[in-house]
Amino acid sequence: MAQDAERVTTPPDGRPLSEQPRWRQDFPIDWEEDEYVSRRDLVKFIVLTSLAFATGQFWLLGKQRFGGGAGQPQPVPIAEAGELPIGGYKMFSYPEGSSPRLLIRTGDESFVAYDQQCTHLLCPVVPNVEEDALHCPCHNGWFDLQTGRPTAGPPRRPLPRITLEIRDGSIYATGIEERTV
Amino acid sequence: MPVPQDMEFFMDPGRCIGCQACVQACTECDTHKGQSMIQLDYIDRGHSPQTVPVVCLHCDSPTCAEVCPADAIKRTDDGVVQTARKPRCIACNNCVLACPFGVPKMNTEMHLMMKCDMCYDRTSVGGKPMCASVCPSGALYFGTREEMARMRPASKPVNTFQFGMQTIHTKVSMMVPEDVDLVDVVSSMHEPVVSHDVTDDVFMENMHEETDQD
């Protein structure tokens, strides 16, 4: 609190600030004093904000660990094995009504499936089997075709992968692998 | 940068000629572009052409700030009471009603109280307020005390005002005759206006005639 001598504004009764009611000390008319943040207020703000962030993190952690979740959706046939040429791809949704996913044939017997949305800003990614990559044209983001991990550009997280299984010549989507690294 | 301490604002209402130059110039001020914060008051319009420009006197304990429930009216280090802080002002009109000089103006479109801030953009960098720079008769003057003493040897600046029980000390001074120490506003309201009396009482005479006939 500034000294009385530094104050330009005087209370109407002319008595010093220490004899004034509390509200007058809390709501000073002087601009400088109004802008002034005491060390105690700053510490209080920092501690409470950090505490709020920490609580949020613990809540997320608890939700992840004990929330259970709905589990993986049921396996669904998404394509015939011979349907796609090598290097070809097909869009599907899994489970029903999800955001679009990509099924890509990378070799004779090898298939990969990823979410089509780039992990940067949700633009659709384009598979490029010749270069063994997935390309996001919005901000020139690149992902590795085999793993779905980002290799260049702004994306930092891998694309969610759909686990696949081939049964009797049909390709089944069996689960979604959300990854952070 | 604060307003220089030796530069002061002086009001000399007796010299006001009612030309409205200050009112117009005020709208040019960059802190409230397009809005005039000066009001030219007629003291007793029926009887006198005398006008007085009302600029903020920047009180030492500003009544407007005292009554503000939103803590929006602040006074900078150089003693200038600023327009309400926009994020805080709730447009409640308390300051408009409380100011004894009638200075704050409520901008209902912007929900913001705006008031004369002594052209803070100009005075804080050594310039003169808009109104004082255009006043042709010296009713509003911004300069040093010495300059004022030289120009008005018969007057002296007073910055104490009495409104009933409330004594107000201001940053802006008013030029008064040498023998006056304090401007008692309420008591002077009961005094007859000292000016040219232009009463034309033809109607009054007619009324008297009618009453005489009755």
Side-chain angles (χ1 to χ4, degrees):
Chain A
M1 191 61 66
Q3 296 300 309
D4 280 348
E6 294 171 21
R7 297 162 59 85
V8 283
T9 302
T10 49
D13 57 6
R15 287 184 301 153
L17 189 68
S18 48
E19 292 174 30
Q20 294 295 330
R22 180 66 195 270
W23 63 265
R24 209 182 276 285
Q25 299 171 25
D26 283 350
F27 301 103
I29 290 170
D30 283 2
W31 190 291
E32 290 286 313
E33 257 183 274
D34 186 57
E35 296 272 285
Y36 178 77
V37 179
S38 72
R39 186 180 305 173
R40 181 172 297 186
D41 285 343
L42 181 70
V43 168
K44 196 191 280 178
F45 173 76
I46 289 173
V47 168
L48 287 178
T49 320
S50 314
L51 214 65
F53 275 114
T55 314
Q57 292 294 319
F58 280 116
W59 180 72
L60 285 175
L61 203 72
K63 197 180 152 193
Q64 197 183 2
R65 181 153 300 177
F66 305 109
Q72 294 291 353
Q74 290 296 311
V76 171
I78 50 173
E80 299 298 315
E83 189 182 325
L84 290 171
I86 294 174
Y89 61 91
K90 184 190 177 181
M91 308 262 288
F92 67 98
S93 57
Y94 171 76
E96 196 63 45
S98 74
S99 58
R101 323 274 191 184
L102 278 172
L103 171 70
I104 308 147
R105 186 170 186 180
T106 55
D108 270 344
E109 286 295 308
S110 51
F111 293 88
V112 286
Y114 300 110
D115 201 288
Q116 199 202 7
Q117 291 175 331
C118 176
T119 52
H120 175 224
L121 286 174
L122 306 181
C123 282
V125 291
V126 182
N128 188 337
V129 179
E130 282 165 24
E131 292 184 30
D132 204 30
L134 289 145
H135 181 223
C136 176
C138 283
H139 304 98
N140 202 21
W142 293 85
F143 297 89
D144 181 38
L145 187 61
Q146 303 302 329
T147 59
R149 294 209 156 81
T151 52
R156 284 285 169 271
R157 283 170 293 130
L159 295 165
R161 181 159 59 188
I162 314 299
T163 51
L164 303 170
E165 211 172 283
I166 302 176
R167 297 178 198 162
D168 308 327
S170 286
I171 303 164
Y172 282 77
T174 54
I176 305 159
E177 218 180 286
E178 301 273 4
R179 299 169 296 175
T180 50
V181 228
Chain B
M1 206 174 131
V3 176
Q5 283 303 308
D6 57 333
M7 298 296 271
E8 285 186 58
F9 200 108
F10 300 94
M11 290 173 71
D12 199 348
R15 297 182 70 92
C16 182
I17 55 172
C19 68
Q20 304 262 3
C22 54
V23 178
Q24 294 305 320
C26 189
T27 62
E28 299 289 325
C29 178
D30 279 337
T31 61
H32 47 81
K33 195 94 177 169
Q35 316 266 342
S36 185
M37 294 297 128
I38 299 186
Q39 175 175 317
L40 205 66
D41 275 348
Y42 286 84
I43 292 179
D44 187 1
R45 202 165 190 173
H47 298 94
S48 158
Q50 182 64 56
T51 49
V52 51
V54 179
V55 296
C56 181
L57 283 91
H58 303 282
C59 311
D60 283 347
S61 51
T63 313
C64 54
E66 289 287 335
V67 300
C68 181
D71 196 29
I73 305 171
K74 297 294 153 204
R75 193 165 184 240
T76 40
D77 264 359
D78 38 27
V80 175
V81 183
Q82 304 283 349
T83 284
R85 302 188 73 169
K86 178 81 183 83
R88 295 183 183 179
C89 182
I90 55 171
C92 69
N93 265 319
N94 263 15
C95 50
V96 178
L97 299 171
C99 175
F101 300 99
V103 167
K105 290 192 173 186
M106 181 52 61
N107 188 326
T108 44
E109 276 177 20
M110 290 167 66
H111 294 283
L112 175 68
M113 179 282 272
M114 295 171 87
K115 64 181 283 300
C116 158
D117 57 3
M118 218 192 253
C119 290
Y120 205 65
D121 59 325
R122 295 162 63 85
T123 48
S124 61
V125 293
K128 289 188 175 201
M130 276 291 186
C131 52
S133 64
V134 298
C135 184
S137 59
L140 298 170
Y141 185 78
F142 189 76
T144 62
R145 226 156 239 270
E146 292 73 40
E147 284 172 348
M148 205 59 196
R150 200 161 58 241
M151 287 192 299
R152 312 278 158 73
S155 313
K156 71 169 184 184
V158 153
N159 67 348
T160 308
F161 297 83
Q162 188 72 39
F163 288 87
M165 303 284 284
Q166 188 183 14
T167 311
I168 295 175
H169 300 281
T170 61
K171 179 178 168 68
V172 174
S173 303
M174 186 173 275
M175 300 308 290
V176 293
E178 287 285 0
D179 57 335
V180 178
D181 291 322
L182 163 150
V183 182
D184 192 340
V185 180
V186 178
S187 68
S188 60
M189 283 165 88
H190 305 299
E191 289 173 15
V193 177
V194 188
S195 190
H196 324 284
D197 199 329
V198 289
T199 313
D200 185 359
D201 56 353
V202 279
F203 298 112
M204 300 296 282
E205 283 169 11
N206 289 344
M207 277 174 68
H208 287 308
E209 281 168 18
E210 282 168 21
T211 40
D212 289 346
Q213 282 165 11
D214 292 338

